[in-house]
Structures are given as structure tokens and as C-alpha cells.
Amino acid sequence: KSIELNIEKALGTVSKSDVFALEGKANNGIEMLHKGTGKGNDFLGWLHLPSEISEAHLADLEAAAKQLRDRCEIVVVIGIGGSYLGAKAVIEALSDSFEFLRHEHKNPVVLFAGQNIGEDYLFELQTLLKGKSFGIVVISKSGTTTEPAIAFRLLKEQLEAQVGKEEAKHRIVAVTDAHKGALRKLADTEGYKTFVIADNVGGRFSVLTPVGLLPIAIAGFDIRALVAGAVAMEKACGEEVPFEQNPAAIYAATRNALYQSGKKIEILVNFNPKLHYFAEWWKQLYGESEGKDHLGIFPASVDFTTDLHSMGQWIQEGERIIFETVLSVAQMQHTVTIPSDQENLDGLNYLAGKRVDEVNKMAELGTQIAHVDGGVPNLKIVVPELNETYLGQLIYFFEKACGISGYILGVNPFNQPGVEAYKRNMFALLNKPGYEEESKAIQARL
Ligand code: PA5
């Protein structure tokens, strides 16, 4: 079994021939990726990453995860952007929604920090960690990002105060560049276990490196199955697969055909709350890859049916510049059946005996029909069930499609020059050494 893309309900706004008109551009994009001849070709390490992951590397990751799992009831994963969202997405998708409230934990609770500069967030986290047995995975490719650096300075100090410097060394793992950056220097000086993020894998394409795999293994999930799923999709979207059979190429072509027809916003929809953060990962992947040169589909997301009671109105009747891509999970992990009630005061007996998911699936179908009727083209990706294998497939599918889509659009999908603008201003405002000129200039504007 495999994830499956269905574009039928998008064909109306654009025709099949509009999609197939982009076959040549999609094939060119695939060729540029595989030959390394396109823009950003120094960041193509993700392309064959799944099939290149070795047994020894997986075993090393599992051993490091075990070390933290054995020692810690909580592991704080510190990172932001591509050094945060992949792990968060997979862990959320696979976790019991209430695991963190259970008294008996099979796995350490994985918490995140450094993904914001919220003072109250950090205060509350530090308060929670007082007296707790915790560990830290600090992730930064550049090793210089401010948000995770602040969080790490705080939590490192707290951990050393709680367990001593020597034990802290066994509870801290750093994931960073092989040679460059402040985190590399700090980790080498302190003697932490480290994992390397290869130069040619950009942050948002790094979930299948230790950036994602280590936290996912610590949380107790099967990274071998995740990688195997990605390997299967690497084959299914390979360069030798014809356009009409390559799901990544079809998805990339369809969303570009829709964009050319005036659909400027793509909403990634789920009907399963566990996929909320998967959409956050997807938004970074597509937003940072395509939003440049004043071009690019704006990636948005909603959780249905929750957001049908808020954003549903806009989607049904607002400006017709949107299309939806629905992640539809076929099979639930558990069964909950709606009971019959003799009084039937709530009038729900017409649902008695049905599974909750049956109601959810009818909500999904009803929504699809309503939105297509309302002028919102609808792509659907069926995920057989939420497990490591299919998440691995989804991850690689979206990555490959993103590379192809960026090349169809004509941008460099692998850089993110725009994210530097806020950093320069922040450093100038904070008088960071080396930003003296910028400080003067920005002060003059205030
Ligand atoms: O995609 C990207 O490159 C960014 O989102 C980075 O992942 C993010 O800024 C974190 O960078 P770093 O891992 O260098 O701390």
C-alpha cells in the first residue's frame, strides 16, 4: 500500500490538458534535480537521502536515543524552523494525544524549546523541569541561530546545576554542522555526543537526517519504518517514472496549473488533529522554497472539522483565489462507536452504532462536494493510516514535489534569502557586535 494522490476534483478550474501542458516543465525540473543543473544545486543532498541512510547510521541514532531514553523522563528538543518542524510534525502525528498526562510513560516526554523567544514559555518550561530528570537535544545547522542559542544557554545551565557538569554531558546531544558555527565549537569543547547535518541538505529538507530522526527515535517511534517509507517514495517518484505515474510530478504540475489560473493560495486540509503540525512542516517547506522573486503560492492550513466552524465560511464563499489539498487518513488506530440512547433527547440516535470516523468521513465528503461546488478545486492525498511508513512516504513525496514545483515556477527552491531581513534588524536593535553601522541606521529610523 501507498499514499495516493487524486486530482480529479481539481479538474474543473483547470483541465487535464492544462496539467499535462506542464509535463515538459515538470520533466525538466526532475532532470535538473537529478543532474544537479538547476538553481540551488548545492542543496540537493535530500534527493537520495532515504536510500543512502546506512544501517550503521540508524544504529548510532538508536543508541544515542536509548542513552537519553534510559536517563530522562523529559527530553527537550531545541531548534527552530527546519531544525524543529519535521520532528514536531512526526511526533505529533504518531503520539497518543494525552500521553503527556498519563502517570506511566513508556517513552520520555519530548518537549520543544528555541522555536520562539517567549519569555513566559521559557519560564514555565524551566519551572516544569525543576527537579525533573531531563535531557537536551540541541539542533542548529548554522550553529548560530539566536532563538535556540538562548534556550540552550538557559537549559544547559539548569541541567548542569541539577545533575552536575559530568552527568549533563551524557544528557546533551548536539546536531549541527561538521565544522562551522558556535554550537559545533561549544559541543566539541564540552565533549557532547554530536550528529552532523550535511552541508548539502537545507533545514526544511532535513527531517530524514538526525535533525528529525534523533528526536523521533527518542519519542519511541520506528525510524527504520519512516526511512523505509521514504525509500519507497524515492522510487515511486524517481526520474525514470513517467510523468503521469509520478505523483510528485502530477502534484507539482497541478498546483502550478491552478496558480497560473489565479489560485494564489493552497490550503493543506486535514480531518485529523494529529496532522496539525504536519501542515506546519509543509508550510515551511513550500513557503520558504517558493515564496521569492514576488512569486509563489501562499501555503496555508486548516484543521477540519474544527476550522469549518471558523474559516469554513471564507473558504466556501470568500474570494476565489484558493484551492485545497486534503490529507485524508483512511484507517483509524482505534474504534469508538456512538451509543444508542433510549431517551434520544439529543436526537442523535440516527448515528447510533456508527463509528465516529464514519461521521468524520461524511463530513469530509460533504465538505469536498460543498467546496468544489463553491469554486474551490480539491486535490486529495489518501494516507492508508497514520504510521511511520506512510509519514515517510508523505515527507519524501512533498519534498520531491517541492523541488519540481519550484523549478516549474522558475525560482531557486533551495535558498531563503528573505529570512535574513528580520535578523539584521533584530541584531542592529540589540547592538550585536559587528552590526554597528546597521544599529546607527536603524536607530535613526525610530
Ligand atoms: O529552512 C531553513 O533553512 C530555516 O528554517 C532553518 O532551518 C532555521 O532558520 C534554523 O536554522 P539553524 O538550523 O541553522 O539553526
Side-chain angles (χ1 to χ4, degrees), residues 66-347:
K66 185 171 184 316
Q67 160 118 332
L68 286 176
R69 287 169 59 79
D70 288 347
R71 287 179 133 86
C72 309
E73 52 182 321
I74 297 175
V75 175
V76 185
V77 175
I78 297 178
I80 194 166
S83 294
Y84 156 63
L85 284 163
K88 176 77 177 167
V90 173
I91 292 171
E92 282 281 317
L94 296 174
S95 293
D96 177 324
S97 311
F98 304 103
E99 174 76 17
F100 69 103
L101 282 174
R102 297 194 198 288
H103 292 301
E104 303 266 311
H105 295 293
K106 261 198 339 271
N107 302 300
V109 175
V110 174
L111 300 177
F112 291 86
Q115 81 282 33
N116 58 50
I117 328 177
E119 185 163 348
D120 287 349
Y121 184 92
L122 284 165
F123 177 88
E124 287 156 12
L125 178 61
Q126 288 204 284
T127 307
L128 173 83
L129 294 174
K130 268 186 203 144
K132 294 265 184 352
S133 158
F134 79 97
I136 302 171
V137 177
V138 54
I139 308 174
S140 177
K141 185 178 177 198
S142 62
T144 57
T145 308
T146 311
E147 291 90 335
I150 292 171
F152 185 53
R153 180 181 278 214
L154 286 164
L155 296 188
K156 173 182 184 285
E157 186 189 80
Q158 180 171 358
L159 183 60
E160 288 174 353
Q162 285 183 199
V163 299
K165 217 169 160 58
E166 200 41 48
E167 172 62 15
K169 277 185 194 171
H170 298 293
R171 294 179 182 216
I172 296 176
V173 179
V175 184
T176 189
D177 186 88
H179 309 288
K180 295 188 298 283
L183 180 59
R184 165 54 60 190
K185 196 166 161 219
L186 192 160
D188 287 347
T189 309
E190 297 284 13
Y192 300 148
K193 165 83 181 158
T194 63
F195 286 95
V196 169
I197 312 171
D199 280 345
N200 62 359
V201 180
R204 59 190 173 275
F205 288 85
S206 70
V207 51
L208 298 170
T209 72
V211 170
L213 295 179
L214 181 62
I216 293 166
I218 290 169
F221 300 113
D222 183 352
I223 55 173
R224 287 167 193 267
L226 188 80
V227 170
V231 171
M233 201 41 60
E234 188 185 323
K235 279 205 194 93
C237 302
E239 64 178 325
E240 62 297 333
V241 180
F243 175 74
E244 65 280 7
Q245 287 165 31
N246 183 333
I250 295 287
Y251 174 60
T254 308
R255 62 197 297 284
N256 276 281
L258 288 164
Y259 180 59
Q260 288 171 8
S261 81
K263 304 293 182 189
K264 306 282 189 195
I265 299 172
E266 177 176 8
I267 307 177
L268 193 75
V269 176
N270 71 70
F271 282 80
N272 186 324
K274 292 184 188 223
L275 286 171
H276 175 86
Y277 276 95
F278 194 84
E280 298 301 313
W281 170 82
W282 172 87
K283 283 194 285 194
Q284 188 206 2
L285 182 64
Y286 281 80
E288 276 194 350
S289 299
E290 296 195 316
K292 52 200 67 160
D293 307 338
H294 296 175
L295 292 169
I297 294 170
F298 182 84
S301 65
V302 287
D303 301 326
F304 285 166
T305 63
T306 312
D307 293 334
L308 283 170
H309 297 257
S310 58
M311 294 303 289
Q313 172 60 36
W314 200 104
I315 295 170
Q316 190 67 47
E317 295 182 344
E319 201 174 344
R320 302 298 70 188
I321 52 170
I322 54 173
F323 66 98
E324 290 177 317
T325 297
V326 179
L327 293 177
S328 175
V329 181
Q331 192 69 45
M332 294 298 104
Q333 307 290 332
H334 305 288
T335 303
V336 178
T337 308
I338 298 166
S340 169
D341 184 295
Q342 242 181 0
E343 308 284 325
N344 195 28
L345 291 175
D346 54 11

Side-chain angles (χ1 to χ4, degrees), residues 271 305 329-332 334-338 350-366:
F271 282 80
T305 63
V329 181
Q331 192 69 45
M332 294 298 104
H334 305 288
T335 303
V336 178
T337 308
I338 298 166
Y350 77 104
L351 296 177
K354 287 193 194 304
R355 285 183 60 179
V356 171
D357 193 52
E358 223 176 312
V359 180
N360 203 24
K361 289 289 187 293
M362 290 310 108
E364 185 181 322
L365 184 56

